[in-house]
C-alpha cells in the first residue's frame, strides 16, 4: 500500500468518526431538550395540582368555619351526652363487678370458715380418739405385764429348781 492510499483510507475513517460524533452529540442534545421539556411539564402539572388542592382546602375551611357555629356545638353536645352515658354505664358495670366480687369473697370466706370448723372438729375428735386408744393400750399393756409378771415368777422358780437339780446331779457324779 502506498502512502496516498493509506492517507485516503485514514481520511475516510476520520470523516466517518466525525459523522458518528456529530450524530451522538445531536442525540444527546435532543435527549437533554426532551428531558428539560418533560421536567417543565411535570413541574407545571404539580403547580396546577397544588393550586387546585389549596383552593379546595380553602373552600372546605370556609365551609367548616361558617357551619362550625351551629353544627359544631350540636355535635359537641351530642358527644358530651354520649360520653356521659357511657361513663354512667361504665360506673354501673364497675359497681356491679365490685358487688359480685364482694359477694363471691363473702361466699368463699364462709365456705373456708365452715371447712375450718369441720377440720377443727375432726382434729379434736381424732385427738380424743388417740387419747382413748392410748389409755386402752396402756391398760392392756399393764394387764399383760401383770399376767406376765406372775408367769415370769413361776418360770423363774421352775428354772431355779432345774438348775438346783442339775447341780445335785453333777455333785453326785463327782
Amino acid at each position: 500500500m502506498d502512502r496516498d492510499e493509506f492517507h485516503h483510507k485514514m481520511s475516510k475513517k476520520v470523516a466517518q468518526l466525525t459523522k458518528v460524533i456529530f450524530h451522538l452529540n445531536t442525540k444527546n442534545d435532543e435527549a437533554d431538550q426532551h428531558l428539560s421539556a418533560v421536567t417543565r411539564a411535570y413541574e407545571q402539572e404539580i403547580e396546577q395540582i397544588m393550586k387546585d388542592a389549596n383552593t379546595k382546602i380553602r373552600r372546605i375551611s370556609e365551609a367548616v368555619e361558617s357551619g362550625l357555629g351551629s353544627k359544631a356545638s350540636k355535635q359537641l353536645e351530642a358527644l358530651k351526652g354520649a360520653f356521659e352515658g357511657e361513663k354512667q354505664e361504665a360506673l354501673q358495670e364497675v359497681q356491679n363487678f365490685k358487688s359480685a366480687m364482694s359477694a363471691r369473697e363473702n361466699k368463699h370466706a364462709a365456705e373456708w370458715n365452715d371447712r375450718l370448723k369441720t377440720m377443727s372438729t375432726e382434729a379434736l375428735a381424732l385427738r380424743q380418739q388417740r387419747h382413748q386408744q392410748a389409755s386402752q393400750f396402756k391398760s392392756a399393756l399393764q394387764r399383760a405385764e401383770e399376767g406376765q409378771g406372775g408367769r415370769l415368777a413361776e418360770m423363774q422358780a421352775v428354772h431355779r429348781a432345774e438348775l438346783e437339780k442339775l447341780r445335785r446331779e453333777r455333785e453326785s457324779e463327782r
Side-chain angles (χ1 to χ4, degrees):
M1 248 207 266
D2 72 356
R3 191 172 178 192
D4 286 336
E5 197 179 320
F6 178 73
H7 184 65
H8 180 55
K9 285 184 181 180
M10 286 298 278
S11 293
K12 277 186 175 182
K13 286 290 179 188
V14 168
Q16 284 177 348
L17 287 174
T18 304
K19 285 182 185 179
V20 168
I21 290 172
F22 177 76
H23 180 67
L24 288 175
N25 281 336
T26 304
K27 277 195 168 194
N28 190 23
D29 289 342
E30 289 174 0
D32 285 345
Q33 289 174 358
H34 178 68
L35 180 62
S36 173
V38 168
T39 304
R40 279 192 305 274
Y42 282 142
E43 286 176 359
Q44 287 174 355
E45 190 175 343
I46 289 172
E47 283 181 34
Q48 185 60 40
I49 291 171
M50 290 297 290
K51 285 180 184 176
D52 290 345
N54 286 334
T55 304
K56 288 179 183 178
I57 289 173
R58 200 174 320 111
R59 283 186 205 148
I60 291 172
S61 168
E62 290 170 0
V64 167
E65 286 177 9
S66 67
L68 191 63
S70 63
K71 289 181 183 177
S73 64
K74 288 179 184 176
Q75 286 179 344
L76 183 62
E77 289 302 319
L79 288 174
K80 282 183 180 178
F83 172 74
E84 287 299 321
E86 288 177 6
K87 181 180 171 185
Q88 291 301 321
E89 273 183 45
L91 289 174
Q92 186 62 38
E93 286 179 16
V94 167
Q95 188 62 36
N96 290 343
F97 181 73
K98 283 182 180 178
S99 298
M101 288 298 113
S102 177
R104 184 175 168 191
E105 184 179 328
N106 291 337
K107 177 184 167 189
H108 286 302
E111 286 176 4
W112 283 107
N113 284 335
D114 289 345
R115 283 181 89 182
L116 184 61
K117 286 178 185 176
T118 303
M119 288 180 163
S120 295
T121 305
E122 288 174 1
L124 182 61
L126 287 173
R127 264 193 230 120
Q128 289 173 349
Q129 183 182 3
R130 180 181 51 104
H131 285 301
Q132 187 180 22
Q133 287 176 347
S135 298
Q136 289 173 353
F137 180 71
K138 283 180 184 177
S139 61
L141 183 64
Q142 195 174 26
R143 283 192 306 264
E145 285 177 353
E146 288 173 1
Q148 291 296 327
R151 207 166 156 217
L152 180 63
E154 184 181 313
M155 287 175 80
Q156 284 177 345
V158 169
H159 182 63
R160 282 188 205 126
E162 284 181 17
L163 282 177
E164 188 63 35
K165 180 181 169 188
L166 286 173
R167 194 171 25 104
R168 280 188 224 145
E169 287 177 5
R170 197 162 187 216
E171 285 180 6
S172 63
E173 287 179 4
R174 280 189 182 178

